[in-house]
Amino acid sequence: MTDTPTPAPKPGKVRVPADALRAFAAALLEKGGLRPEHAATTADVFIWAARRGVESHGVARVPAYLDLLAKGVANAKADLRVESTTPAAAVIDADRAPGPVALSAAADEAARRARAFGIASVGVRNTVHTGAIGYYVSKIAEQGLVGLGFVAGMPNMGYTGVKGAAVATSPLAIAVPAADHAPLLLDMATATIALGKIRQAKANGTPLPENAAATADGTPTTDPEQAVMPLPLGGAKGSGMSLAFELLTSVLVGAPIFAAFHSDDPAGRKHRQNALLIAVDPAAFGGSAADFTGNVDTTLATLKGLPVAEGASGVYYPGERSAAVAAERGADGVPVAPKVWRELTEAAEKFGLTPPATV
């Protein structure tokens, strides 16, 4: 793959070695009530995202998760149960476990069943904030399998033709292993922009892109002071995808979110998320795993060999640049924003922990 230069950290950011930051995050989460193994799993998801430059799902999530645990929104002592009536499919009832705990278990279960039966799907019911779903499909791809993931959450996005928030900014992710390239990793939401981008624009006083966000009644606006929700990517396409993901996750596992949210039952607004992970063994389709990854390499190399458009810095496939960022941050440390570092060190002081040294 072609390494992509990574911008230097913004002034004020500190860099922390990835392994030390992972251990620090795990220690904080354990103090917050998670079992040691669940704390380590959750921290790994955060550091994976932080290393790849996905700051919104990185260590900035640690204080938020501590709050979810303290308030009982997330169940620190969740009892995950696997339900299955057929060898190639299962449902994990998460018992309101944090998403990284539930979806990591689902990824392992899907991979195990796919190796035995060629393809497998595992649904997740009643989890809390799934984190970066690219992590879970990447776990599947690390085992030479193709990973696909869908998530449905609480409605916070417009729907074409509807007044106000209707559906969720539900994401999808696909990871495809390669032999000599970094895996292809497509990880995207069904919204034009993330909610965090709206908050960031408000803090910076910068206008939002056209048709990216809306007021409470669904009127498109570029004013971050008036914007309260994102609009779907591609209009009807993005909103249609979000609704489909609700059917493929929540409805499929018997835990509808959309219909309950828009009902008169106050319990329908209780925070929760559902997911579906699918693992596919390329060898089940007639060729060998080596043939498949070799052909993936050929496809990616062909893409990268195409003429570069004027003004473009290069040709990249999904996940390539974030993999380069991960390699750089793995070697030089993970940058942490001042506000996030302050929140982490304050939590450490509260719990009697010593923060790791910065570099």
Side-chain angles (χ1 to χ4, degrees), residues 215-227:
T215 60
D217 66 0
T219 303
T221 181
T222 60
D223 183 355
E225 294 291 339
Q226 300 297 319

Side-chain angles (χ1 to χ4, degrees), residues 47-48 66 72 121 143 155 179 182 213 227 246 248 321 353:
I47 301 307
W48 180 89
L66 291 174
S121 58
Q143 301 182 52
E246 165 72 4
L248 290 172
R321 283 180 284 191
L353 297 173

Side-chain angles (χ1 to χ4, degrees), residues 178-196:
D180 299 324
H181 291 73
L184 178 143
L185 175 59
L186 175 66
D187 187 350
M188 57 172 282
T190 49
T192 300
I193 60 172
L195 278 167

Side-chain angles (χ1 to χ4, degrees), residues 261-279:
F261 181 90
H262 292 292
S263 74
D264 294 329
D265 185 356
R269 303 230 165 184
K270 186 177 182 181
H271 175 75
R272 62 208 183 278
Q273 294 186 350
N274 301 307
L276 179 71
L277 294 180
I278 301 171

Side-chain angles (χ1 to χ4, degrees), residues 254-332:
I257 293 177
F258 175 84
F261 181 90
H262 292 292
S263 74
D264 294 329
D265 185 356
R269 303 230 165 184
K270 186 177 182 181
H271 175 75
R272 62 208 183 278
Q273 294 186 350
N274 301 307
L276 179 71
L277 294 180
I278 301 171
V280 180
D281 185 354
F285 290 80
S288 69
D291 287 340
F292 176 75
T293 54
N295 286 329
V296 171
D297 272 337
T298 299
T299 301
L300 299 179
T302 300
L303 172 72
K304 295 189 65 60
L306 296 177
V308 179
E310 185 176 351
S313 61
V315 178
Y316 305 100
Y317 61 87
E320 179 183 5
R321 283 180 284 191
S322 60
V325 172
E328 182 270 334
R329 291 185 173 185
D332 299 336

Side-chain angles (χ1 to χ4, degrees), residues 115-264:
R115 284 194 298 271
F117 302 104
I119 184 169
S121 58
V122 177
V124 176
R125 172 197 302 135
N126 293 329
T127 187
V128 178
H129 192 268
T130 50
I133 66 167
Y135 173 90
Y136 314 110
V137 295
S138 293
K139 275 176 65 73
I140 293 171
E142 286 172 1
Q143 301 182 52
L145 309 172
V146 175
L148 299 89
F150 309 92
V151 170
M154 305 301 289
N156 59 355
M157 180 177 78
Y159 186 96
T160 303
V162 174
K163 182 179 180 180
V167 292
T169 57
S170 301
L172 71 91
I174 301 171
V176 183
D180 299 324
H181 291 73
L184 178 143
L185 175 59
L186 175 66
D187 187 350
M188 57 172 282
T190 49
T192 300
I193 60 172
L195 278 167
K197 293 292 185 182
I198 296 176
R199 290 191 290 266
Q200 189 176 47
K202 183 176 181 178
N204 297 335
T206 54
L208 295 162
E210 293 281 350
N211 297 313
T215 60
D217 66 0
T219 303
T221 181
T222 60
D223 183 355
E225 294 291 339
Q226 300 297 319
V228 299
M229 65 179 178
L231 288 172
L233 180 67
K237 295 179 180 179
S239 57
M241 289 171 66
S242 177
L243 185 62
F245 296 167
E246 165 72 4
L247 299 177
L248 290 172
T249 58
S250 305
V251 174
L252 192 65
V253 301
I257 293 177
F258 175 84
F261 181 90
H262 292 292
S263 74
D264 294 329

